Amino acid sequence: MRSSATSAVLLSLLGACGAFHTPYRPEQSRHFDVTKSSTFSPITTKVFDLHYADGSHLKGFNGVDQVWLGDYKCTAPFGVITDCNSPDFNGVDGILGFGLPKAGQEGRELPTPILFAMTDQENKASNARDLTRKFSFFSTDTDAEVQLGGYDPATTVGEMWYTPCLSETDFIVGVTSVRFGHDFDNSKELLHFSEPGSSSYLPAIMDSGTSCLVMPGDTLGGKLTNVPFNDFTTLWEEGKSFWLEIGGRQWRVPFSSWFLARTNQTCVQPSPAGMQGLLVGDVFFRSFMVEFDMTQRERPIIGIAPLNTKYAPVGTSQLGTFELHHAPVSKLQLLRGEETMFPAEHTQRLTQVDQIPIFNKKGTQYFMDVGVGTPKQPFTVIFDTGSAVLGVFVVKHDLPMSIRAQLPDDVLSQNLALEQTGARSSGGLGALMGMLGYTHQGPILAGLAVVNLAAVAVVAALVRRRRARKVPLSAQVAGYDAHA
């Protein structure tokens, strides 16, 4: 029997979304003071214009400076944010994207993702060059933790299983089944493919910037014979779990993870028309430790292991050394990504892992402390595995005249805080639609119970440079190039 709260919860899922009614308040954020950093260098020829799926909009230009993450630091490019329109950034100082570099022109215009900059062997100003290019992430109801270089085995119970991503530039895995019920044997399948077979799967982004599980709100142009979200609302009942089949293995997301008891909200959302897959958000990270392995340039690898619920996230940054297992790369290279998962292979190599605390805001948004500049200026930024840009706010009218004179007029004149967007949608939806061929230009109307800013960005990097030129990574600014 459904609880008395069910009708209200489902109505909140189906309600229409509107514009930002609360403005971005820059006075509530800390701002990077470029004049107080002896190592800052502006790259005013590269201007970015980031549009996130929830309607958030960030503008600014590239810069290079010292960046601190936990016990690691390096000279790295980052986004100097001059404008923002979203109240989700109120009281926050910027964003930290832990995603993968984008391809083509977009990738050349945006700053190199921070983990790639830190682990670049040619970045002489980094003390993290020997750090393995991977990180792990998990969440509890009140805290979260990111682990650089691998994962602490104490955070997991059981074995870590690995599968290759379907994309070179995004953390996308294949989901072949989504079941819902009180127990697996009596659960109901929510994905009914029109042509069942070994190739029947939906792509899904693993994204900490999306609060919920986002599933198809239509038949995906006939790929399905049912509407999964409609079936879910019909079957909604307290105590039920989801089982997601990834790589031939079932991963259970319990009721306590997808229903937010503190706010009485169902964290399952319908996708807008045109999105051809799923978004696997924070509801998953509350049940599993997920490792993002970027050591293979051809395809990143996702590792999943059940979370040790007795593990207490760190309160301060801690550096440890662990004997870790590693992904069976030779086996995974043979897969398309949706077929199967392999357990870890044993290794005797000791790996350093830096454990960094993350602040969990009501189970829907994650924040990490970083440092930028010399001397270090502290900032608290949104942590997002679905986007790839590190950016911090500046007060644009306080920038030195030598920098302002080199910036395009619209960077200095536009005030995004006064913008009102036409509609909002879930964090992460925009990028998945873009990657999967979604081209609809109208407003996205999707009722969302929990809307999170930290989304996969639909990036429109403005080409305002004089001319990009290929230069060695060590050619600029304390041993690191800001070309990407």
Side-chain angles (χ1 to χ4, degrees):
M1 182 68 66
R2 297 185 182 184
S3 69
S4 59
T6 303
S7 297
V9 169
L10 294 180
L11 283 175
S12 70
L13 283 165
L14 299 172
C17 296
F20 293 132
H21 298 295
T22 301
Y24 165 62
R25 303 186 189 281
E27 67 275 8
Q28 296 180 4
S29 300
R30 289 177 292 187
H31 295 79
F32 179 54
D33 188 339
V34 304
T35 65
K36 292 183 178 179
S37 175
S38 62
T39 49
F40 175 73
S41 178
I43 311 294
T44 55
T45 54
K46 294 187 177 181
V47 179
F48 60 84
D49 193 351
L50 300 175
H51 293 264
Y52 290 76
D54 72 339
S56 298
H57 187 181
L58 301 176
K59 289 189 67 173
F61 61 95
N62 289 7
V64 174
D65 210 333
Q66 287 287 307
V67 175
W68 277 260
L69 290 182
D71 292 308
Y72 294 111
K73 71 171 183 176
C74 73
T75 298
F78 67 101
V80 182
I81 305 172
T82 58
D83 270 289
C84 172
N85 74 326
S86 171
D88 287 315
F89 279 99
N90 287 341
V92 186
D93 310 324
I95 189 166
L96 174 59
F98 252 47
L100 295 154
K102 302 306 176 186
Q105 184 68 24
E106 177 183 325
R108 289 190 292 271
E109 292 301 321
L110 292 174
T112 302
I114 186 62
L115 193 56
F116 280 76
M118 281 192 160
T119 54
D120 193 316
Q121 292 298 303
E122 297 183 52
N123 188 351
K124 305 304 182 184
S126 173
N127 69 350
R129 283 178 291 163
D130 294 329
L131 181 70
T132 304
R133 190 172 286 174
K134 60 174 68 174
F135 71 94
S136 301
F137 176 73
F138 75 94
S139 171
T140 68
D141 288 340
T142 57
D143 299 291
E145 184 176 303
V146 64
Q147 300 178 356
L148 305 182
Y151 72 96
D152 178 353
T155 59
T156 65
V157 290
E159 202 154 22
M160 180 75 77
W161 289 76
Y162 294 92
T163 189
C165 291
L166 300 178
S167 168
E168 297 178 5
T169 57
D170 292 281
F171 298 123
I172 299 178
V173 296
V175 173
T176 50
S177 170
V178 177
R179 302 187 70 89
F180 184 63
H182 286 292
D183 59 80
F184 183 80
D185 290 339
N186 296 302
S187 60
K188 302 296 184 182
E189 178 61 59
L190 299 182
L191 299 182
H192 295 284
F193 293 96
S194 300
E195 298 180 5
S198 60
S199 62
S200 297
Y201 70 94
L202 294 182
I205 283 186
M206 309 293 288
D207 181 19
S208 72
T210 298
S211 302
C212 302
L213 174 63
V214 180
M215 64 177 62
D218 55 33
T219 63
L220 305 183
K223 185 169 185 176
L224 302 174
T225 61
N226 68 316
V227 178
F229 183 76
N230 289 356
D231 289 353
F232 160 71
T233 60
T234 301
L235 296 169
W236 197 106
E237 193 172 313
E238 285 191 4
K240 287 187 174 182
S241 299
F242 287 96
W243 283 267
L244 276 65
E245 185 174 351
I246 300 172
R249 298 186 66 83
Q250 300 291 341
W251 304 99
R252 176 175 172 263
V253 179
F255 178 78
S256 59
S257 291
W258 63 265
F259 185 81
L260 304 179
R262 287 189 299 168
T263 53
N264 198 38
Q265 290 176 309
T266 296
C267 209
V268 181
Q269 303 170 356
S271 64
M275 194 185 91
Q276 297 296 304
L278 299 94
L279 281 171
V280 180
D282 298 335
V283 298
F284 196 82
F285 296 100
R286 287 198 286 272
S287 297
F288 301 100
M289 165 64 88
V290 180
E291 182 178 82
F292 299 83
D293 185 338
M294 298 167 284
T295 57
Q296 302 296 310
R297 282 197 171 272
E298 297 80 11
R299 283 193 302 181
I301 295 169
I302 294 291
I304 304 173
L307 183 64
N308 178 6
T309 57
K310 296 181 180 179
Y311 176 85
V314 296
T316 58
S317 178
Q318 297 179 9
L319 189 64
T321 302
F322 305 101
E323 183 177 312
L324 296 183
H325 298 166
H326 63 90
V329 173
S330 59
K331 295 178 182 178
L332 294 176
Q333 286 176 338
L334 301 176
L335 303 180
R336 294 196 301 274
E338 75 281 2
E339 296 173 339
T340 191
M341 300 185 86
F342 285 104
E345 294 177 342
H346 295 274
T347 177
Q348 297 301 314
R349 182 175 59 85
L350 296 180
T351 303
Q352 276 200 332
V353 175
D354 194 10
Q355 297 163 274
I356 304 175
I358 293 179
F359 310 101
N360 187 345
K361 180 183 178 183
K362 297 181 181 179
T364 62
Q365 213 170 49
Y366 301 98
F367 306 99
M368 181 189 290
D369 289 334
V370 301
V372 180
T374 306
K376 178 170 59 176
Q377 299 177 39
F379 302 102
T380 299
V381 294
I382 293 173
F383 174 78
D384 179 22
T385 63
S387 61
V389 173
L390 165 63
V392 293
F393 294 124
V394 296
V395 179
K396 61 184 175 183
H397 296 298
D398 288 345
L399 291 170
M401 185 57 68
S402 58
I403 294 178
R404 295 175 61 189
Q406 299 178 55
L407 292 171
D409 291 340
D410 63 331
V411 172
L412 296 175
S413 61
Q414 189 171 12
N415 187 355
L416 296 183
L418 301 180
E419 270 192 8
Q420 288 293 307
T421 60
R424 302 178 71 190
S425 80
S426 169
L429 294 177
L432 187 56
M433 289 187 288
M435 285 182 287
L436 300 176
Y438 180 75
T439 58
H440 177 60
Q441 299 299 313
I444 301 171
L445 299 178
L448 307 177
V450 180
V451 179
N452 183 17
L453 155 85
V456 183
V458 181
V459 180
L462 300 183
V463 184
R464 294 191 181 278
R465 58 200 172 105
R466 297 179 181 88
R467 177 62 186 165
R469 53 194 177 91
K470 280 281 186 180
V471 293
L473 286 173
S474 58
Q476 295 183 26
V477 190
Y480 197 76
D481 168 39
H483 78 276

